[in-house]
Amino acid sequence: LSLGMMAGFKIFGLSWFDLMDTLANNFMLPLGGFFTAIFAGWVWGPKAILAMSNNGTLSQSWAPVWLFVVRFVAPISIGWILATNLIG
């Protein structure tokens, strides 16, 4: 559509292809990462750590750091990315 007979049609100053590319790259991918981090950190939480450690057979010394990063650092960082994409 963007290169054919609708090449002159613009939405928010973008062609159809550019609009879909912008939505996917700037909004959908970060939102998917944000909700994945929220789900892994708060819904799975310690159950995910137990599963990654082969039900307790591997060392879990990294578990508190991983849980902190997934619960707090990742969502805040991804939120920052979303905010900068909305502003600029």
Side-chain angles (χ1 to χ4, degrees), residues 20-40:
M20 292 297 114
D21 180 53
T22 300
L23 287 175
N25 290 327
N26 293 341
F27 302 107
M28 291 181 201
L29 285 171
L31 278 174
F34 178 80
F35 288 120
T36 300
I38 295 295
F39 183 77

Side-chain angles (χ1 to χ4, degrees), residues 35-57:
F35 288 120
T36 300
I38 295 295
F39 183 77
W42 294 100
V43 176
W44 275 350
K47 291 183 277 187
I49 294 170
L50 186 63
M52 288 189 292
S53 69
N54 287 339
N55 293 322
T57 59

Side-chain angles (χ1 to χ4, degrees), residues 29-35 37 73-85:
L29 285 171
L31 278 174
F34 178 80
F35 288 120
V73 176
I76 290 170
S77 301
I78 296 169
W80 178 260
I81 291 168
L82 279 169
T84 57
N85 284 337

